[in-house]
Amino acid sequence: MASMQGKPPAFNSAVVRWIDKRLPIFTFMHHEYGVFPTPRNFNYWWSFGGIAMVMLITMIVTGIVLAMNYTPHVDYAFDSVERIRRDVPQGWLIQYMHMNGASFFFIAVFIHLFRGMYYGSYKNPRELLWMLGVVILLLMMATAFMGYVLPWGQMSFWGATVITNLFSAIPVFGEDIVTFLWGGFSVDNPTLNRFFSLHYLLPFVIVGVVVLHIAAMHVAGSNNPTGIDPRGPQDTLPFSPYYVTKDGYAVVVFLIFYAIFVFFAPDFFGEPDNYTKANPLQTPAHIVPEWYFLPFYAVLRSIPDKLGGVIAMFGAIGILFLLPWLDTSRVRSGRFRPMFKWFFWVFVIDCLVLGWVGGNPADAEISILGMHIPLLWIGRLATFWYYFHFLILLPLLGKIERPLPLPASIADSVLKPAAAR
Amino acid sequence: MRKLLATGVLALPLLAAPAAVFPALAEAGHGPKLLDTRFSFEGPFGTIDRAAAQRGFQIYKEVCAACHAMSLMSYRNLMDLGLSEAAVKGIAAEVQVEDVNDVGEKIERPGKPSDRFKKPFPNDAAAAAANGGAAPPDLSLIIKARPNGARYVFSLLQGYVDFDSLTDQQKAEFGLAKDYKLEEGKHFNIYFQPGEQGYKIGMAKPLSDGQVNYVDGSKNDLPSMARDVVTFLAWASEPHMEARKRTGVRVVLFLLIFAGMMYAVKRKIWADAH
């Protein structure tokens, strides 16, 4: 790493010096988190990376404790989760923190992702950094999906059945793949066991990719709201204490919202049906995935063909890998892109519309001014727009848009308006 | 031209915006609105009305328990509702529990506080067979397992209507199909699974005015009893609800103060950077 080549700081403690000479972890921490030159102009949207990290740690810590008390067996899983809630000391707290933590982890990560999109954080030289982020998102989705199966409620079971069945759309090998995933011929005890095993494993894989994600970030340096590179010390601040305190404040504010849901509305993000033990003989009237999957669920349902739907759904995430090359504009930050700025917000709304459609029954209708419009068609329009945004708009905008003049430097953009005030 | 193009493309998705703003779903089969009421346990500071929950347990024991299990509850849990240890021992001892003695023989013994609530049927198949094919649901989590659960159960208990006395116009208002028929053993409940062929519940009207005589002489008309039993079931669905809210108040207050301090520190650190 570029910043590792600096001189080691003079440590006061002889023990620290002794260790650092043999394994320079203290020098590493000093360079990467102490004096690491960070653009001085981050807004609070930049805090969501650190917030996501805090949520990841929260999930792993609460998850390890839950695993001590959970029984991965179809006959006992549901009751063991209830036992955690009722009889394990403070178990209710750990369980609610974990259950709602998943939602707040996704909230943080989605904001982090949209921030990257708006400020062009995926552009040269940060393409790999961005792609590692998409890998983290995919791993999170797999982990969350399998975690949702573990309480073995009705929605756990039927969600698992619906989603694993999607793989049967794969030509030729589809059915065999599904049997392989299930470990049998239906979602059953072997499925629950392997999901538990993988649900415990994947978070540590996520940690590994997060390390790579951060390492890549420390090579290229952070992007910033202007999107222009720092030109010297006047453009940056040492990470500590400036961003330690700023991110720290943001984390605590985020935790307030998290706590409000954990303690006062723990079932807000959940489905009542999951408080009924899984029953393979009784299909719930309305199978819905967790809220963070709803936009993708809407994409899946908007394609009339099963295989097509599956491809469109996975493609909706896959296309993010190509984003660095689909966006042809050389200007990073949306601040200086008058047209992109608008389309970015249209895209955000589009994702929200998809989420709303995905949360309603497939045959639902909405009445506007007496017209009955099937949600399916709104979902199709929104799906079209999702792909249109990436495949047509972004390549085109870079060519036709005339960006605003960029500031001469970060310090310029920060200090000049302040002086004018 | 470029601007025009941009505006045109922009306007497209805005057409979809009203959909997000007015999510008035035109979905068929909405039954009557649930009865409007307030429960003691609602809201961020709501607590369980202990007296009502104890009365609710009496209703469960004397009426519901004939068909509905509460497999997640133990008799000892009742002490959290304010019953004395002696009272709980007495309640537990009223039932006979299957067990195995020291030499491995099957025996029946009086219940202990550590025993789970005795189930009315040995298994789901027996429960279904004795109830016209549909096993009565376990009530341990029923309030959490239904949307708007407390109000739903409260309404359901009061939602029985004599189907034969319905006029054709009323049937039309419920949106019943022309060939609607209430099968033998089914009952008409205006809150149960609304739909063209809906409203059919296997459970006969479980509670009527004055059915249970309360030890404390409280009012025992149907709405009061429904409220009491819902209070009991709401407590059973989450026995630590009060601890959760109490802890929550402390945690949020702590975090607010912590956030204020973090903000002050941040301001001080950043003072020389602006």
Side-chain angles (χ1 to χ4, degrees), chain A residues 47 128 308 364:
Chain A
S47 298
L128 213 53

Side-chain angles (χ1 to χ4, degrees), chain A residues 224-373:
Chain A
N224 67 81
T226 64
I228 57 176
D229 293 326
R231 297 229 159 86
Q234 75 282 3
D235 287 344
T236 61
L237 292 168
F239 187 80
S240 174
Y242 292 96
Y243 285 107
V244 171
T245 52
K246 187 167 184 169
D247 285 356
Y249 168 60
V251 165
V252 176
V253 170
F254 187 83
L255 291 181
I256 293 174
F257 290 101
Y258 174 40
I260 286 172
F261 280 89
V262 166
F263 292 105
F264 299 108
D267 293 318
F268 178 82
F269 294 105
E271 275 293 315
D273 264 334
N274 226 29
Y275 280 109
T276 303
K277 207 173 189 164
N279 181 353
L281 300 177
Q282 191 183 32
T283 319
H286 180 197
I287 301 174
V288 274
E290 288 281 82
W291 69 266
Y292 34 80
F293 293 131
L294 290 177
F296 306 102
Y297 195 50
V299 171
L300 170 78
R301 290 195 307 194
S302 68
I303 310 287
D305 173 64
K306 189 174 176 184
L307 179 60
V310 172
I311 291 172
M313 181 178 73
F314 284 106
I317 297 170
I319 204 165
L320 295 175
F321 283 109
L322 304 177
L323 179 57
W325 296 276
L326 289 170
D327 185 346
T328 50
S329 172
R330 289 208 191 152
V331 175
R332 290 199 191 105
S333 173
R335 248 187 215 178
F336 306 107
R337 300 187 57 191
M339 290 169 81
F340 168 83
K341 188 187 281 184
W342 283 98
F343 286 117
F344 169 81
W345 288 109
V346 171
F347 178 73
V348 172
I349 293 168
D350 186 62
C351 292
L352 294 175
V353 168
L354 277 173
W356 171 69
V357 170
N360 276 296
D363 55 356
E365 290 180 336
I366 175 174
S367 60
I368 305 170
L369 309 170
M371 285 185 301
H372 290 277
I373 302 171

Side-chain angles (χ1 to χ4, degrees), chain A residues 40 82 85-87 92 96 242-243 248-249 252 263-264 266-267 272 275 346 356 360 365-367 372 385 400, chain B residues 2 9 13 19 22 24-26 44 72-73 76 141 144-145 236-238 240 244 248 259 262-263 269-270 272-273:
Chain A
R40 64 187 305 145
E82 277 304 320
R85 286 204 176 119
R86 288 158 190 265
D87 294 334
W92 60 269
Y96 280 149
Y242 292 96
Y243 285 107
Y249 168 60
V252 176
F263 292 105
F264 299 108
D267 293 318
Y275 280 109
V346 171
W356 171 69
N360 276 296
E365 290 180 336
I366 175 174
S367 60
H372 290 277
W385 186 266
I400 61 171
Chain B
R2 211 175 277 166
V9 186
F22 308 110
L25 288 183
L72 296 171
M73 301 300 293
R76 64 179 166 81
L141 281 164
K144 276 180 176 261
S237 73
E238 193 185 355
H240 294 299
R244 160 166 71 76
M262 284 302 290
Y263 187 64
I269 297 277
W270 279 74
D272 64 350

Side-chain angles (χ1 to χ4, degrees), chain A residues 73-309:
Chain A
H73 187 286
V74 290
D75 292 339
Y76 307 109
F78 185 87
D79 287 353
S80 77
V81 172
E82 277 304 320
R83 184 168 172 80
I84 290 170
R85 286 204 176 119
R86 288 158 190 265
D87 294 334
V88 173
Q90 308 303 314
W92 60 269
L93 175 60
I94 303 289
Q95 204 277 336
Y96 280 149
M97 280 175 73
H98 197 73
M99 188 170 110
N100 286 280
S103 287
F104 277 84
F105 192 10
F106 271 100
I107 288 172
V109 162
F110 281 146
I111 293 175
H112 186 59
L113 188 146
F114 279 118
R115 188 272 289 158
M117 283 187 174
Y118 184 79
Y119 293 107
S121 300
Y122 45 82
K123 291 186 193 181
N124 182 2
R126 299 187 183 85
E127 299 95 328
L128 213 53
L129 169 57
W130 169 264
M131 291 163 79
L132 286 166
V134 181
V135 171
I136 294 171
L137 178 67
L138 272 173
L139 286 168
M140 275 177 68
M141 289 180 151
T143 310
F145 164 67
M146 288 188 281
Y148 193 58
V149 176
L150 302 185
W152 208 245
Q154 273 287 70
M155 218 43 97
S156 299
F157 178 87
W158 290 98
T161 304
V162 169
I163 301 299
T164 48
N165 256 315
L166 293 178
F167 291 91
S168 70
I170 298 169
V172 188
F173 307 107
E175 296 293 338
D176 292 330
I177 291 173
V178 173
T179 307
F180 176 72
L181 288 174
W182 285 343
F185 299 102
S186 66
V187 175
D188 207 335
N189 203 45
T191 326
L192 179 60
N193 273 274
R194 60 191 54 199
F195 278 20
F196 179 53
S197 171
L198 293 173
H199 183 71
Y200 205 113
L201 169 71
L202 288 187
F204 298 98
V205 180
I206 292 178
V207 169
V209 185
V210 166
V211 169
L212 295 178
H213 186 69
I214 295 172
M217 194 264 277
H218 278 232
V219 173
S222 294
N223 187 27
N224 67 81
T226 64
I228 57 176
D229 293 326
R231 297 229 159 86
Q234 75 282 3
D235 287 344
T236 61
L237 292 168
F239 187 80
S240 174
Y242 292 96
Y243 285 107
V244 171
T245 52
K246 187 167 184 169
D247 285 356
Y249 168 60
V251 165
V252 176
V253 170
F254 187 83
L255 291 181
I256 293 174
F257 290 101
Y258 174 40
I260 286 172
F261 280 89
V262 166
F263 292 105
F264 299 108
D267 293 318
F268 178 82
F269 294 105
E271 275 293 315
D273 264 334
N274 226 29
Y275 280 109
T276 303
K277 207 173 189 164
N279 181 353
L281 300 177
Q282 191 183 32
T283 319
H286 180 197
I287 301 174
V288 274
E290 288 281 82
W291 69 266
Y292 34 80
F293 293 131
L294 290 177
F296 306 102
Y297 195 50
V299 171
L300 170 78
R301 290 195 307 194
S302 68
I303 310 287
D305 173 64
K306 189 174 176 184
L307 179 60

Side-chain angles (χ1 to χ4, degrees), chain A residues 48-91:
Chain A
F48 282 90
I51 290 171
M53 187 75 187
V54 168
M55 290 316 297
L56 174 61
I57 294 166
T58 305
M59 292 306 280
I60 289 180
V61 171
T62 54
I64 288 172
V65 178
L66 287 176
M68 295 173 188
N69 296 284
Y70 170 77
T71 311
H73 187 286
V74 290
D75 292 339
Y76 307 109
F78 185 87
D79 287 353
S80 77
V81 172
E82 277 304 320
R83 184 168 172 80
I84 290 170
R85 286 204 176 119
R86 288 158 190 265
D87 294 334
V88 173
Q90 308 303 314

